[in-house]
């Protein structure tokens, strides 16, 4: 069985970088205002833009694979400290959640919450306290061939149903996904 490695998509990270610069520029413009409320909005935009700029630059320069699927399991370096073993995954599905393409995993309770990075454990606390745990691996920022990914996942799980997540996005959802990711 081959390993499947997914990296950040260079065009998507450049788009994020450009959006963050735009947010900083709007924040600077608002910060120069004489109106106190607009100035405060400018400060918030500057903070948001700076954080987004940092994330975009860090992601742009990161040449390591973000998601690795191999014989032992799935490792998402963005949210996990340890890989999720294949035998701990009860169900997996390629789907769209909130206009984002995700790999949805139902993981057994034997995979402890300590295996998740702190920020993910805090933001996904409700899903991680369910039985089974629901883990959403965001695929939108990654460079992916979905037919290869579908084939790989089908080879790992006989119950996996291949899904073309690009066809699930229609109309406004498709436009927003293309614009943002």
């Amino acid at each position: 069985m081959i390993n499947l490695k997914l990296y950040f998509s260079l065009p998507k990270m450049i788009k994020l970088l450009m959006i963050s610069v735009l947010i900083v520029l709007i924040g600077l413009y608002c910060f120069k205002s004489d109106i106190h409320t607009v100035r405060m909005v400018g400060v918030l935009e500057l903070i948001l833009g700076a954080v987004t700029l940092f994330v975009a630059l860090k992601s742009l320069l990161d040449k390591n694979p973000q998601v690795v699927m191999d014989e032992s399991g799935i490792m998402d370096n963005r949210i996990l400290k340890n890989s999720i073993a294949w035998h701990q995954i009860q169900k997996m599905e390629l789907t769209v959640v909130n206009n984002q393409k995700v790999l949805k995993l139902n993981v057994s309770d034997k995979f402890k919450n300590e295996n998740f990075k702190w920020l993910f454990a805090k933001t996904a606390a409700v899903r991680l306290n369910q039985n089974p745990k629901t883990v959403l691996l965001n695929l939108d920022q990654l460079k992916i061939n979905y037919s290869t990914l579908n084939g790989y996942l089908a080879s790992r799980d006989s119950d996996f149903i291949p899904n073309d997540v690009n066809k699930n996005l229609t109309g406004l959802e498709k436009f927003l996904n293309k614009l943002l990711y």
Side-chain angles (χ1 to χ4, degrees):
M1 179 58 72
I2 62 169
N3 294 345
L4 186 62
K5 296 179 180 181
L6 305 175
Y7 297 87
F8 279 126
S9 170
L10 183 64
K12 292 176 183 178
M13 292 303 107
I14 290 172
K15 188 187 300 185
L16 181 62
L17 186 68
M18 291 179 357
I19 289 171
S20 64
V21 169
L22 181 65
I23 292 171
V24 168
L25 292 175
I26 292 170
L28 285 172
Y29 181 75
C30 290
F31 187 69
K32 293 177 183 179
S33 174
D34 293 337
I35 302 170
H36 184 69
T37 306
V38 174
R39 190 177 296 157
M40 291 306 298
V41 169
V43 169
L44 293 175
E45 286 180 358
L46 285 171
I47 293 169
L48 176 65
V51 170
T52 308
L53 185 65
F54 173 75
V55 170
L57 285 173
K58 184 177 180 254
S59 301
L60 193 61
L61 299 173
D62 191 353
K63 303 299 180 202
N64 297 319
Q66 299 308 302
V67 178
V68 177
M69 298 178 195
D70 58 19
E71 288 299 317
S72 61
I74 298 176
M75 177 63 181
D76 186 336
N77 292 315
R78 301 167 298 173
I79 64 170
L80 293 169
K81 296 178 188 175
N82 301 309
S83 64
I84 302 173
W86 291 111
H87 69 282
Q88 292 177 321
I89 299 173
Q90 298 171 348
K91 181 182 175 187
M92 57 184 151
E93 172 187 13
L94 275 175
T95 188
V96 175
V97 175
N98 296 329
N99 295 328
Q100 295 181 335
K101 299 173 217 139
V102 298
L103 176 59
K104 182 178 177 181
L105 305 173
N106 289 341
V107 181
S108 72
D109 279 339
K110 293 177 184 168
F111 192 77
K112 301 295 179 200
N113 287 356
E114 293 83 39
N115 291 316
F116 294 98
K117 291 184 179 177
W118 178 82
L119 184 59
F120 182 80
K122 294 296 179 197
T123 58
V126 172
R127 288 192 311 263
L128 295 180
N129 289 326
Q130 296 172 341
N131 187 11
K133 297 176 189 338
T134 302
V135 179
L136 301 176
L137 304 182
N138 190 329
L139 303 175
D140 270 324
Q141 301 90 7
L142 305 175
K143 183 170 59 172
I144 299 175
N145 179 329
Y146 283 101
S147 61
T148 303
L149 180 60
N150 272 311
Y152 187 87
L153 295 174
S155 72
R156 297 302 309 176
D157 182 5
S158 59
D159 293 333
F160 179 77
I161 299 169
N163 187 5
D164 185 359
V165 288
N166 289 320
K167 288 185 179 178
N168 291 350
L169 290 170
T170 58
L172 183 60
E173 290 176 338
K174 186 174 185 176
F175 173 75
L176 286 174
N177 187 271
K178 289 288 185 191
L179 179 69
L180 297 174
Y181 306 107

